[in-house]
Amino acid sequence: MEHRPGRRRGIAAIVLLVLGAVILGGVTVAKAVNPPSRYTEGKAVGWTMTPTYTNGESIYLEPVAKGGLRRGDVVLASVPWSLQKTQMNRVVAVGGDRIQYKPSSKVAGQYRLVLNGTPLDEPYLEQWKNPSAVAFNVKVPKGYVFLMADNRMNSDGSQYANNGPVPADKVTAKVVAYPMAKLAVWGQLAGALVLLLGAVLAGVSRRARGRAGRAAAAPAAAPAVIPAPAAAQPEPGEGGGEGAGEQAPVAAQPGPGDAQAPVGPGGRADVPS
């Protein structure tokens, strides 16, 4: 089979493009499927939970079992400081905990809440923000929870004296991470990357075919004619064979005063005895 430039890259590009389209299509279908019945889909309202949740972001809620609240849970609760019926907050402390904060003190170079005498690690907060705008020292009663939003400097919460802890039965639902929602995000990213790689390979294959076509269409160049070197001529005074390179002897010419012997018949000189 004749080898065509860019053929393998072209085949790989087609495979990747088809695969990327399948991934994106499958993720879209999976995302459209309703979550299990125990989940209720909703929307985050406002900016009290940024950067964890932003306004309009999809959230999934599930009922809260009795005694099922844990520190760090994000919940939807009916709180006295909100004009809305319910508001998203985070459970920072539960009944029996002591939670406190002193703005004038730092722990390991960072402002932190102190829970039951131990600095509280809150990775969901932006590091440059303080965990509270006011100082407080509260012992949470049994059956209550201490609620604070993640956007601490621009929201209300149990840290203010006129609010305080909230009865646990005021928590109406728990915000959970629906596994399919996370899978959909990663699936969309994977599909987009596969499509991008396929498009790049298709472009490389197209350029390779273009170069091959231009090379085939170009006229063949005529072969250059190189003249044969001339035969070396012997230099004057050079002879071949034995004695080459030596100057041939020159016969002495008679001078004007020299006697010349008469030349006889046959070219023989008669030399007097």
Side-chain angles (χ1 to χ4, degrees):
M1 181 181 292
E2 182 183 357
H3 174 72
R4 288 184 292 175
R7 176 183 176 84
R8 293 182 179 178
R9 293 190 183 97
I11 295 175
I14 294 174
V15 172
L16 290 175
L17 290 173
V18 172
L19 179 61
V22 170
I23 292 175
L24 286 179
V27 168
T28 303
V29 172
K31 192 176 180 181
V33 175
N34 291 328
S37 58
R38 71 175 185 274
Y39 292 151
T40 302
E41 187 174 1
K43 297 286 185 182
V45 178
W47 305 94
T48 60
M49 288 300 293
T50 55
T52 308
Y53 294 98
T54 58
N55 183 45
E57 182 176 349
S58 296
I59 59 174
Y60 294 88
L61 308 171
E62 68 174 0
V64 180
K66 186 177 180 180
L69 294 176
R70 300 288 184 272
R71 302 182 191 95
D73 286 345
V74 177
V75 298
L76 203 63
S78 177
V79 293
W81 57 79
S82 176
L83 298 177
Q84 303 171 3
K85 292 182 178 180
T86 55
Q87 184 180 359
M88 287 178 64
N89 287 273
R90 187 180 295 275
V91 177
V92 178
V94 296
D97 289 338
R98 177 169 291 278
I99 185 76
Q100 53 186 328
Y101 177 67
K102 293 181 179 180
S104 59
S105 62
K106 288 185 178 181
V107 178
Q110 183 179 353
Y111 294 106
R112 297 169 72 179
L113 302 182
V114 177
L115 177 66
N116 299 325
T118 303
L120 183 62
D121 186 18
E122 298 184 282
Y124 40 81
L125 296 180
E126 294 182 7
Q127 295 182 0
W128 60 271
K129 289 187 176 180
N130 293 335
S132 176
V134 296
F136 59 87
N137 188 343
V138 177
K139 176 76 173 181
V140 183
K142 291 291 184 179
Y144 283 71
V145 288
F146 194 90
L147 301 178
M148 300 179 72
D150 287 357
N151 190 0
R152 300 284 170 81
M153 308 304 290
N154 297 286
S155 62
D156 218 339
S158 295
Q159 67 268 32
Y160 293 96
N162 57 333
N163 296 334
V166 176
D169 58 9
K170 294 294 184 180
V171 176
T172 59
K174 184 189 298 185
V175 181
V176 295
Y178 178 42
M180 186 55 67
K182 290 186 176 180
L183 181 61
V185 173
W186 287 108
Q188 288 172 341
L189 289 176
L193 288 176
V194 171
L195 284 175
L196 179 61
L197 182 58
V200 171
L201 281 179
V204 172
S205 175
R206 190 179 300 110
R207 285 195 295 270
R209 291 197 300 269
R211 287 195 297 267
R214 289 192 297 270
V225 178
I226 302 176
Q233 300 295 330
E235 295 292 335
E238 293 184 356
E242 184 180 358
E246 297 180 1
Q247 188 173 2
V250 181
Q253 298 296 328
D258 293 340
Q260 295 185 2
V263 178
R268 176 180 175 185
D270 293 331
V271 180
S273 56

